[in-house]
Amino acid sequence: MSEQLKLENQLCFRLYNINKAMTRLYAPLLKSLNLTYPQYLVMLVLWQNKQWEVELRQQEQALSVKALGKKLNLDSGTLSPLLKRMENLGFIVRKRNTDDERSVEVYLTKQGSVLKEKAQCIPASMFAKTGLTAEQLHNLTDTLDKLMANIQ
Amino acid sequence: MSEQLKLENQLCFRLYNINKAMTRLYAPLLKSLNLTYPQYLVMLVLWQNKQWEVELRQQEQALSVKALGKKLNLDSGTLSPLLKRMENLGFIVRKRNTDDERSVEVYLTKQGSVLKEKAQCIPASMFAKTGLTAEQLHNLTDTLDKLMANIQ
DNA sequence: TTTAATTTAATTGTGCGCTATTTAATTGCT
DNA sequence: AGCAATTAAATAGCGCACAATTAAATTAAA
């Protein structure tokens, strides 16, 4: 048996398994927010995208499906039904851009905005579960960024 | 905005994206074998499992769906339909264990066995695409194994 | 300005991955 | 032996992920 064809020697099998294990770790935390992991990623983008205007009025910067897909590496085949489900849950609304009717803009609702507070603890909770030190995390992040740059 | 909730600071988002990118890298290589990535993983297990008897007669060691699932971290909800597709493609056959009718054993067909030769080049090809040195690969593998041990 | 090319989403279809449930076979207990 | 508990697969249903196609709007070009 060629050594390279052995499952236990394969980087991809490790990444595949760790990715699944991570999603399983997220599940109980996200369940209380009524979100799946991909939906949580959408929320992270929208929370980050929030702009504050004067007089404490909350205003969202326009974020098209296209732009969202670019940030998350997902296409409309994945995002369209996912966003529709999130709209049904009341976390976002979708509006056609009046200047360019091809484009659909995604906005946080009040309810989606409020959800951010409940999510604050998630990153620290997940980090604790990894059992990594801050330095180990930093090194791994560095390596993965280099790998991603090579394969993309 | 809390730094930890930012997408670009999250380990899991990196793992999620790299896993998808890796699967996309595999796709053209596996297409010529008519396999998906999870199906390829099943083939890796079966190829590794092959036993040789005297007089050059090829014999497969029994591998149940249960045992396969344990190796791949997949349950019957995923494996049952996947194995059915692979049987339709002619790469495997499924047989109820006569000693324990609850168990289903998976066997390579001649066609599935032959496919191994065409797969020999895949690991080296994938490794080349990562752009990693052997040492970098080794270090990353080590780190991921430790991480996996922590989160499982 | 009419037509052609491009862009943006939505839709369709396939294949995981997982949860929960169901069915059937086996084991354990009394 | 008889019955409960356990085990192994299969099934049903939901939500991605992606390829391919379609539809509509915009831009570019002749």
Side-chain angles (χ1 to χ4, degrees):
Chain A
M1 174 85 192
S2 95
E3 284 303 305
Q4 294 190 321
L5 274 184
K6 285 189 182 172
L7 206 56
E8 63 269 24
N9 293 338
Q10 302 220 1
L11 173 63
C12 290
F13 185 55
R14 285 179 168 77
L15 293 166
Y16 165 80
N17 277 314
I18 287 179
N19 182 55
K20 285 194 300 174
M22 284 291 189
T23 303
R24 281 193 287 265
L25 280 192
Y26 266 111
L29 303 176
L30 294 178
K31 186 154 194 173
S32 67
L33 308 190
N34 206 15
L35 290 174
T36 66
Y37 181 64
Q39 290 169 6
Y40 171 67
L41 294 178
V42 169
M43 295 305 282
L44 289 182
V45 174
L46 293 174
W47 289 332
Q48 222 169 321
N49 196 57
K50 199 187 296 179
Q51 302 280 308
W52 292 90
E53 304 253 311
V54 283
E55 69 208 339
L56 295 181
R57 197 166 56 83
Q58 190 172 310
Q59 188 71 19
E60 309 301 331
Q61 202 176 32
L63 187 75
S64 66
V65 172
K66 171 88 175 169
L68 192 56
K70 190 163 186 173
K71 279 180 192 287
L72 298 178
N73 296 309
L74 294 172
D75 67 6
S76 69
T78 301
L79 284 177
S80 287
L82 185 153
L83 294 172
K84 211 173 283 186
R85 283 187 287 271
M86 292 179 73
E87 189 171 38
N88 288 337
L89 290 169
F91 298 141
I92 62 165
V93 290
R94 295 175 305 147
K95 291 200 194 102
R96 286 272 163 193
N97 183 328
T98 47
D99 292 339
D100 185 343
E101 291 277 343
R102 292 172 305 180
S103 182
V104 168
E105 314 285 353
V106 179
Y107 299 90
L108 268 182
T109 60
K110 180 75 185 166
Q111 191 187 342
S113 201
V114 163
L115 209 60
K116 186 180 178 182
E117 299 315 311
K118 290 177 71 177
Q120 290 291 349
C121 60
I122 292 180
S125 171
M126 283 298 297
F127 173 60
K129 291 188 187 195
T130 65
L132 296 178
T133 66
E135 192 194 356
Q136 285 173 325
L137 175 62
H138 182 261
N139 290 339
L140 179 54
T141 295
D142 261 21
T143 306
L144 293 179
D145 283 347
K146 283 172 194 153
L147 177 55
M148 192 63 180
N150 288 341
I151 67 179
Q152 235 175 3
Chain B
M1 173 85 192
S2 94
E3 284 302 307
Q4 295 191 323
L5 274 184
K6 285 188 180 171
L7 207 56
E8 62 270 24
N9 293 339
Q10 301 219 1
L11 173 63
C12 289
F13 185 56
R14 286 179 168 78
L15 292 167
Y16 165 80
N17 277 313
I18 288 180
N19 182 53
K20 286 193 299 173
M22 284 291 189
T23 303
R24 279 193 288 266
L25 280 191
Y26 266 110
L29 302 177
L30 293 179
K31 187 155 193 173
S32 67
L33 308 190
N34 205 15
L35 291 174
T36 65
Y37 181 65
Q39 290 169 7
Y40 171 68
L41 294 179
V42 169
M43 295 306 280
L44 289 182
V45 174
L46 293 174
W47 289 332
Q48 223 169 320
N49 197 56
K50 198 188 294 178
Q51 301 281 309
W52 291 89
E53 303 252 312
V54 283
E55 69 208 337
L56 297 182
R57 198 166 56 82
Q58 191 173 312
Q59 188 71 21
E60 308 302 328
Q61 200 174 35
L63 188 74
S64 66
V65 172
K66 172 85 175 172
L68 192 56
K70 189 163 188 176
K71 279 180 193 289
L72 298 179
N73 296 310
L74 294 171
D75 67 6
S76 69
T78 301
L79 283 176
S80 286
L82 185 154
L83 294 173
K84 210 174 283 187
R85 283 187 287 272
M86 292 179 72
E87 189 172 37
N88 289 337
L89 290 169
F91 298 142
I92 62 166
V93 291
R94 295 176 304 149
K95 292 201 193 100
R96 286 274 163 189
N97 183 328
T98 49
D99 291 340
D100 185 343
E101 290 278 342
R102 291 173 305 180
S103 180
V104 168
E105 313 286 351
V106 179
Y107 299 89
L108 268 182
T109 60
K110 180 74 186 171
Q111 191 188 343
S113 199
V114 163
L115 209 61
K116 186 181 178 183
E117 299 314 311
K118 289 176 72 177
Q120 290 291 348
C121 60
I122 292 179
S125 171
M126 283 299 297
F127 173 61
K129 291 188 186 192
T130 65
L132 297 177
T133 66
E135 192 193 355
Q136 286 173 324
L137 175 62
H138 182 261
N139 289 339
L140 179 54
T141 296
D142 260 21
T143 307
L144 293 179
D145 283 346
K146 283 172 193 151
L147 177 55
M148 192 63 180
N150 289 340
I151 68 180
Q152 235 175 4

